[in-house]
Amino acid sequence: MLRFLWGLLVGGSAMLLLIRVKEGSITIPWYGWIIGIITFLLATLTLQTFIASFQEREPKAAWMSLLFMGVPTFILATITFLTIR
Amino acid sequence: MNQTNIKKTNYHSTVSSKEHMSNLGKASGVTDLEKKYNDLDDMIASDPGRRLPFWVKEVDKPTVEIDWELLDNFPSMYQTCFNPEVYGEKEYFQLCDNQREYNVEWMKNKVPGHSIQDNAIAHASNWLWKGFEIPWTGPRWETDPLHQVYYTPEEFGVPRYEGTPEQNARLIRVAARVFGSPDVGFVKLTDKTKKLLWKCIRFENVEEGYDPGDGTKVLPDKDLWVICSAMPQSLVFGKSTSDSNWAGTNGLAYSFTKIYSGRMLSFLRSLGYQSYGGDMDVLGSAVGFGVMAGLGEYSRMGQMISPFFGSMFRTNLLIVTDLPLAETKPIDAGMLRFCKTCKKCARNCPSGAITHKDEPFWGGDDPWHNKGIKGYYIRGRVCFSYMFKYPTNCGTCQTVCPFNKMDKAFIHKLIKISISYLPIFNKFIAEMDDLFGYGLEKTETSLMWNRNPKDIPLYGLDESRF
């Protein structure tokens, strides 16, 4: 179920982004795409680790993964948004 | 499906993987995807060979250094460090009596994890482990033909099963999954590997092996293979070595092993082949054969660790057969190399029995050492004396090992890939394992009784590992 919701969210966001790029209402430089893809992969890994760690009954690992992987994800996401014109 | 691609046999049809993928590409419908197995032959034909992930490399020599010239057969399991002959029976049974007293005291004092129900589940789990011996040549109930454990092809009047070593290996792998072993490997008995058998195993020029009843066991002097079966153990209940559930999960795994052994021995006899073993400790070194079969690598704590189950599997059950089997090679997943820098088991060992030395060393100083293996030898007496101070024994080294993970989080796979290919990160990974709180004693197992029963995995075996 969570995978389905994540897929729905990612698919919807990607579609919206591509429509707006095609319309010309926003432009993203090449390095923005690269950082954006890395951000997406890291965000997916962070979310999966966070949820799976609770399923593994390792709550400390869950919160630590959010700290060690979530913070870089947030910074990268901010950089990605700053590249959008 | 294109009918011309199908090769018909008496029982089943097979297509090559190329043809199968080609047929899938033709959108031939659900019948291709819902492949049905008509018999074991069909299952064998569908996927031959052992499939290892790319980060588990098959190698010609195991990662632990072995001097085969120096290596000699170890007398028997009774000389290993957890058994009476090393201590002398008086001291050994004194330790056992002490443990019983601790057990009663903790129960009376209501120490968490040691309630009467915790003890009950621990002791009940041991049932069948001890007190029931499977004969050397496998179980057989001669007195009741209707319920005989196995019928040999000879008794049926049909020819025995025949297959190539690869098909046979696949057959045993399938049977092992059915009977309860998640991973198996095969070692041919050669002049070298015979040194991993106990000294009390003899070879004679006889058609069939037998048990002379004098403490030795006889195998026929012919081509033989050892089936090595990893036996699962619950990581869910095994997380707290201070709870009775720890003892429960040990006992459950051992008694389960005995059932598995009887079934596999019977299976081999029913195919028309010889099988020898029975109990889990009668043949030889479980770690030695497991390492040679590629079930895992030798580790700092002196046990074998698997790339899939870590140290949290109970034993490697050995069965000898004359069914020709395709050998499996030793593996290198970088685990022993990781042990050199990790040392988590040594750091957490409450008795200090596990060495902190960086590099492995040649053993032979203590009676339970086997010369010829460059390993990390534990101080057996120190370990065992400490273990018996607690009602549940101690398995801290096994519990804290970083390779024990439930494998629900994808990142564990990335870390295993790193350990296999990028040893430069090993120290960082070991430190992060501590920082993330892995391997710490969990007290929640004592609260098992308050859980929703449906949240408890069957036999405690979480599906992500097996």
Side-chain angles (χ1 to χ4, degrees):
Chain A
M1 187 62 186
L2 282 168
R3 284 181 189 176
F4 173 73
L5 290 173
W6 181 242
L8 212 62
L9 184 73
V10 171
S13 305
M15 199 167 69
L16 200 69
L17 185 73
L18 288 173
I19 289 169
R20 295 197 65 186
V21 168
K22 211 171 179 183
E23 281 174 350
S25 54
I26 58 166
T27 53
I28 304 171
W30 64 269
Y31 53 87
W33 285 106
I34 293 171
I35 300 169
I37 289 166
I38 293 169
T39 307
F40 163 68
L41 292 174
L42 196 58
T44 307
L45 187 64
T46 306
L47 195 68
Q48 202 274 338
T49 307
F50 183 70
I51 294 166
S53 295
F54 277 110
Q55 290 172 342
E56 290 177 354
R57 296 178 188 276
E58 298 285 358
K60 190 179 176 188
W63 291 110
M64 292 303 279
S65 66
L66 204 60
L67 180 70
F68 279 84
M69 290 152 69
V71 171
T73 306
F74 181 76
I75 293 167
L76 282 174
T78 308
I79 294 169
T80 308
F81 277 110
L82 288 174
T83 63
I84 299 172
R85 296 275 181 268
Chain B
M1 181 187 286
N2 183 354
Q3 294 298 313
T4 56
N5 286 341
I6 303 172
K7 298 171 184 66
K8 288 279 183 189
T9 70
N10 285 340
Y11 302 103
H12 57 276
S13 61
T14 59
V15 290
S16 71
S17 56
K18 192 179 171 185
E19 288 163 348
H20 183 62
M21 292 313 291
S22 166
N23 289 330
L24 284 177
K26 290 170 191 164
S28 50
V30 290
T31 48
D32 265 349
L33 300 171
E34 292 173 352
K35 183 167 172 57
K36 286 180 181 173
Y37 300 113
N38 298 312
D39 52 24
L40 283 175
D41 283 343
D42 205 6
M43 289 179 89
I44 296 162
S46 70
D47 186 18
R50 188 186 188 200
R51 287 183 299 175
L52 291 168
F54 71 93
W55 46 272
V56 180
K57 291 158 275 182
E58 288 191 308
V59 288
D60 293 327
K61 286 182 180 175
T63 49
V64 58
E65 200 176 330
I66 301 171
D67 184 338
W68 291 100
E69 294 297 318
L70 202 61
L71 190 72
D72 194 11
N73 297 73
F74 204 68
S76 81
M77 62 84 67
Y78 297 108
Q79 276 74 29
T80 58
C81 69
F82 296 148
N83 289 288
E85 288 191 26
V86 171
Y87 290 82
E89 291 217 347
K90 195 179 169 189
E91 192 184 344
Y92 181 85
F93 289 111
Q94 185 60 51
L95 283 168
C96 295
D97 287 344
N98 292 348
Q99 191 185 41
R100 202 168 297 124
E101 283 170 26
Y102 286 125
N103 201 356
V104 174
E105 197 181 313
W106 285 34
M107 253 200 292
K108 281 181 181 170
N109 293 335
K110 296 187 172 141
V111 176
H114 296 270
S115 65
I116 193 149
Q117 62 268 40
D118 291 323
N119 268 278
I121 207 158
H123 292 171
S125 296
N126 288 341
W127 181 77
L128 204 65
W129 173 16
K130 296 288 179 188
F132 171 74
E133 300 300 320
I134 300 176
W136 172 239
T137 52
R140 191 177 176 99
W141 302 340
E142 297 284 4
T143 52
D144 184 359
L146 282 176
H147 299 97
Q148 206 162 300
V149 170
Y150 58 82
Y151 290 97
T152 63
E154 198 177 17
E155 288 165 343
F156 277 123
V158 296
R160 72 178 186 177
Y161 165 85
E162 297 287 351
T164 65
E166 288 74 22
Q167 285 173 325
N168 299 344
R170 176 73 186 159
L171 181 79
I172 296 299
R173 200 172 289 286
V174 170
R177 289 292 301 193
V178 173
F179 297 147
S181 172
D183 196 15
V184 289
F186 313 107
V187 178
K188 188 172 184 186
L189 282 177
T190 62
D191 289 343
K192 273 186 182 177
T193 54
K194 279 179 184 175
K195 290 185 174 185
L196 297 171
L197 294 170
W198 302 137
K199 201 166 261 176
C200 56
I201 308 290
R202 295 189 285 118
F203 287 85
E204 284 184 14
N205 189 18
V206 288
E207 189 53 39
E208 285 216 29
Y210 62 96
D211 182 357
D214 59 359
T216 64
K217 302 279 189 288
V218 175
L219 286 172
D221 200 359
K222 60 195 276 195
D223 282 348
L224 295 170
W225 289 261
V226 180
I227 300 170
C228 304
S229 307
M231 299 312 299
Q233 181 177 359
S234 171
L235 182 57
V236 180
F237 302 149
K239 281 194 173 185
S240 174
T241 60
S242 59
D243 286 1
S244 286
N245 282 316
W246 165 261
T249 185
N250 280 4
L252 199 64
Y254 277 133
S255 52
F256 189 75
T257 300
K258 201 155 221 170
I259 298 170
Y260 172 89
S261 174
R263 287 171 177 165
M264 186 57 88
L265 288 160
S266 304
F267 179 69
L268 289 159
R269 295 267 165 186
S270 299
L271 292 174
Y273 291 86
Q274 295 177 20
S275 60
Y276 304 96
D279 263 311
M280 57 205 83
D281 42 25
V282 296
L283 266 162
S285 167
V287 174
F289 275 110
V291 166
M292 292 308 292
L295 287 187
E297 285 185 60
Y298 178 86
S299 72
R300 178 175 289 274
M301 66 183 97
Q303 300 174 19
M304 180 173 62
I305 45 174
S306 156
F308 313 113
F309 324 122
S311 64
M312 199 55 89
F313 67 105
R314 184 71 324 224
T315 189
N316 163 28
L317 179 81
L318 308 177
I319 286 174
V320 171
T321 182
D322 61 349
L323 174 73
L325 293 162
E327 287 181 85
T328 48
K329 283 182 164 186
I331 57 164
D332 180 2
M335 293 188 290
L336 179 58
R337 189 175 52 203
F338 185 78
C339 283
K340 291 178 185 177
T341 49
C342 170
K343 301 180 185 175
K344 193 164 184 172
C345 53
R347 283 186 278 120
N348 285 277
C349 176
S351 70
I354 301 175
T355 180
H356 285 254
K357 286 183 182 175
D358 288 339
E359 291 297 323
F361 47 94
W362 297 101
D365 299 337
D366 285 315
W368 54 87
H369 288 186
N370 201 345
K371 286 177 185 172
I373 297 168
K374 197 175 183 184
Y376 292 106
Y377 292 85
I378 67 163
R379 294 193 291 158
R381 270 174 175 266
V382 174
C383 168
F384 200 54
S385 304
Y386 180 87
M387 268 171 69
F388 269 30
K389 282 183 186 165
Y390 292 91
T392 56
N393 296 338
C394 169
T396 305
C397 54
Q398 206 188 348
T399 304
V400 300
C401 179
F403 288 100
N404 297 333
K405 297 286 185 288
M406 280 191 199
D407 258 0
K408 288 183 192 289
F410 179 71
I411 198 161
H412 300 320
K413 281 193 177 62
L414 298 180
I415 287 167
K416 285 175 182 175
I417 293 166
S418 171
I419 288 170
S420 184
Y421 287 100
L422 301 165
I424 196 168
F425 293 121
N426 281 358
K427 195 166 172 54
F428 172 73
I429 289 169
E431 283 171 2
M432 292 301 274
D433 198 78
D434 288 344
L435 195 64
F436 275 50
Y438 286 115
L440 294 177
E441 288 279 310
K442 303 288 191 297
T443 53
E444 62 176 317
T445 52
S446 62
L447 305 173
M448 180 179 78
W449 306 106
N450 299 326
R451 282 193 200 166
N452 181 341
K454 284 196 170 177
D455 288 343
I456 297 170
L458 208 61
Y459 300 112
L461 302 175
D462 46 295
E463 80 288 350
S464 69
R465 296 171 70 229
F466 301 108

